[in-house]
Amino acid sequence: MALARKPYWERPDSEWLIRRWPDLTASLVATFFFWLSLTPSLVPRPWYYQGAVGGITAAIGYGIGALLSWLYRLLSPWQPSERARARCWLAYLVALPFAVAFMLGRSADMQRELRRLQELPPTLTWHSLMIALISLAVLALLLLVARAIRLGTRTLTRLLNRFVPWPVAVALGLVLSTTFVVIGTRDVVWDRGVLEIADRIAAAKDHSTDPGVVRPYSPLLSGSPDSLIAWDDLGNKGRTFTGTALSGEEISDFTGRPALDPIRAYVGRAAYDDFADGAELAVRELERTGAFDRAVLAVTGTTGTGWVDPTPVEALEYMHGGDTAVVTMQYSYLPSWASFMVDRDEAGEATKALFDAVYARWQQEPAGHRPKLLVLGESLSVSAVESAFDDLDDMLARTDGALLIGPPDFSPIHSELTERRDPDSPIWRPVYEDGEHVRFAQFPDRDLRLPEGAPWLEPRVVYLQNASDPVVWWSPDLLFQRPEWLNEPLGPDVTSAVDWFPFVSFWQTTVDMAVSYGVTAPHGHRYGANPVAAWAAIAPPADWSDEDTERLSWLLEIRHPPQHGWAG
């Protein structure tokens, strides 16, 4: 049978770089990398994301295999015969469908185990055929692009050879081709493509108002007729922040006692020219509302879009009977991933300007009559909040407490605390200086009591940090370095089937960030009502009890049920 004798297609001319049969060694390595991509990571992945990850990692494997094959042909005096090559190809093609089916079946089992650990329903729609087809399509597309680049490099080299010697032409061709690819990818595809589209979409969203959000008329809220910041200048997330604020009546319904209307000050990006002006405007807005006469004043950062999670803000307002003021300043309207790429430094600069201005004004109040000064950050805004301080000592010296939720790997103070944690404490639940001022929690009821018997002095800093949160653990280092969070003991919601592989784990964790809202709290990047217990430990009112914490947690879970999608 002709197919058995030669189960591959031989290109008629060695000049054909695009239309040629795949390399066998490269295909084997690509299959192995595809298998690695099917292993579980931090959170369960939908099948369509798995297909994309599988294709990308298979393409990486193919490239590595093609390089190894080229080096072997270059250096080895022995080459396999046509008969041996045909038999190897035949064995690969026969075994491949069975191997892929086995891999996908094992992957589905591992995904179900991960779902069980993270308290998700055991049912799993794992479209094995679609995963295989998507992965194959992505692999073919990336392989086609790589071969097209190689063909272009060869053509350019031959053109240059008309004017310079061949070695010089080769060197120039490689340099120019690399430059074209880098500039084209960065400037054309990324800057003028992905980022420009993201900017247009985000700008349109920032000018919109979400359904159910109406302009407030309380003078205690930014955007009201009395406010120094116009309603139209708040941006989409700012309008949601002030337009959905709690009233004193709502708080009284929970506490059973008279309550004040909370103060919320929000300075939208359209309301100021530079960060110093925006911070000064925020202070004037606080003065106008009487914020410095409240019991609690909280400075919070925003994510890229200007979003502030309502749960920790409302937890503080309910807890203190509305005798609170919360202030923030929008630095961008881009989604967090784009903001991280474009204006990551601006997040820290804006938050530092805001906190410094508020702190300077707060110090002007009589020492015995100042409100408790707290800071709050979630996700990308944790890094921004930490950038407002030189180090932990500076944070403790200038605040009465801090709540930092889902800190990214690059958060400066968090990174230092994690690196200098007490011996024998795992990276996913570090203990720093016996928990004297700082504690980390995924399950606050028990984690905030650790280490057992150790005093917890004020001011207190709480990091809510899930062991399975990819935002906390994502880092470019994953490309080539095994992370500490995979060391034993593993986190309580991390499956023992997870492991690290070069390149593969990086792409898996990158995709995990996109789907980290698809799980329930406290897993992935979901923190639910855990801020209630955290605030109860950081800055509780005098008569607050554990029963109050449970009641408020239940209320906020109902008020803010989990929603799919990336909030910031």
Side-chain angles (χ1 to χ4, degrees), residues 166-515:
W166 179 250
V168 177
V170 171
L172 285 175
L174 289 173
V175 171
L176 290 174
S177 179
T178 302
T179 303
F180 291 153
V181 170
V182 171
I183 292 177
T185 302
R186 185 194 63 192
D187 293 355
V188 179
V189 177
W190 184 252
D191 289 349
R192 299 181 186 177
V194 175
L195 288 181
E196 186 169 328
I197 292 172
D199 182 82
R200 290 179 180 178
I201 294 173
K205 175 67 174 178
D206 196 53
H207 285 94
S208 69
T209 302
D210 289 342
V213 175
V214 295
R215 184 185 186 186
Y217 283 86
S218 167
L220 302 178
L221 301 172
S222 293
S224 67
D226 299 283
S227 174
L228 301 178
I229 300 100
W231 174 248
D232 290 340
D233 288 343
L234 288 180
N236 175 271
K237 302 303 181 184
R239 286 189 283 274
T240 299
F241 180 69
T242 63
T244 59
L246 291 172
S247 67
E249 289 79 3
E250 290 176 290
I251 296 173
S252 290
D253 289 341
F254 170 77
T255 62
R257 294 189 295 269
L260 299 175
D261 290 332
I263 294 171
R264 291 191 184 183
Y266 191 104
V267 180
R269 187 63 187 88
Y272 64 91
D273 294 323
D274 57 49
F275 297 142
D277 290 339
E280 188 268 337
L281 179 58
V283 169
R284 288 196 289 121
E285 182 77 343
L286 291 175
E287 291 175 330
R288 182 192 66 78
T289 58
F292 293 99
D293 296 324
R294 293 295 174 107
V296 173
L297 171 58
V299 179
T300 181
T302 71
T303 59
T305 59
W307 178 74
V308 177
D309 187 352
T311 298
V313 173
E314 290 184 2
L316 201 61
E317 292 169 342
Y318 273 112
M319 194 174 290
H320 290 274
D323 197 7
T324 60
V326 179
V327 60
T328 191
M329 183 169 73
Q330 181 188 23
Y331 70 90
S332 172
Y333 54 73
L334 290 173
S336 290
W337 64 267
S339 178
F340 171 78
M341 301 298 299
V342 175
D343 48 24
R344 175 175 156 187
D345 293 338
E346 290 187 3
E349 293 169 4
T351 308
K352 177 175 174 57
L354 174 63
F355 180 82
D356 287 348
V358 172
Y359 179 73
R361 176 60 183 81
W362 175 82
Q363 281 191 307
Q364 295 175 17
E365 295 293 311
H369 296 84
R370 295 170 183 165
K372 282 190 175 181
L373 183 59
L374 308 175
V375 290
L376 166 66
E378 180 166 354
S379 196
L380 184 62
S381 70
V382 173
S383 175
V385 168
E386 289 188 350
S387 297
F389 304 95
D390 296 334
D391 50 27
L392 175 64
D393 290 338
D394 185 36
M395 180 183 289
L396 295 175
R398 296 203 289 158
T399 72
D400 294 303
L403 173 56
L404 304 167
I405 305 169
D409 175 79
F410 51 82
S411 304
I413 296 177
H414 174 266
S415 297
E416 182 181 0
L417 300 181
T418 301
E419 183 179 346
R420 296 172 54 193
R421 67 187 185 276
D422 295 352
D424 300 326
S425 64
I427 193 171
W428 46 269
R429 194 72 67 246
V431 176
Y432 180 76
E433 294 185 349
D434 288 326
E436 185 178 51
H437 285 285
V438 183
R439 299 197 177 181
F440 297 77
Q442 179 172 356
F443 304 97
D445 288 347
R446 66 170 186 251
D447 293 340
L448 292 180
R449 293 187 172 92
L450 300 176
E452 291 285 353
W456 194 4
L457 307 181
E458 294 181 347
R460 296 175 175 179
V461 176
V462 170
Y463 284 92
L464 293 180
Q465 173 177 297
N466 297 337
S468 58
D469 187 350
V471 174
V472 176
W473 308 124
W474 183 89
S475 168
D477 294 342
L478 284 169
L479 282 166
F480 306 108
Q481 182 177 332
R482 179 185 175 86
E484 286 189 78
W485 50 267
L486 282 177
N487 295 341
E488 295 289 346
L490 294 173
D493 55 349
V494 177
T495 174
S496 59
V498 70
D499 206 343
W500 175 81
F501 305 99
F503 302 107
V504 178
S505 296
F506 172 81
W507 286 112
Q508 286 180 323
T509 309
T510 301
V511 169
D512 283 346
M513 289 198 295
V515 299

Side-chain angles (χ1 to χ4, degrees), residues 516-533:
S516 60
Y517 268 86
V519 295
T520 58
H523 308 287
H525 201 51
R526 293 275 191 192
Y527 290 87
N530 276 354
V532 178

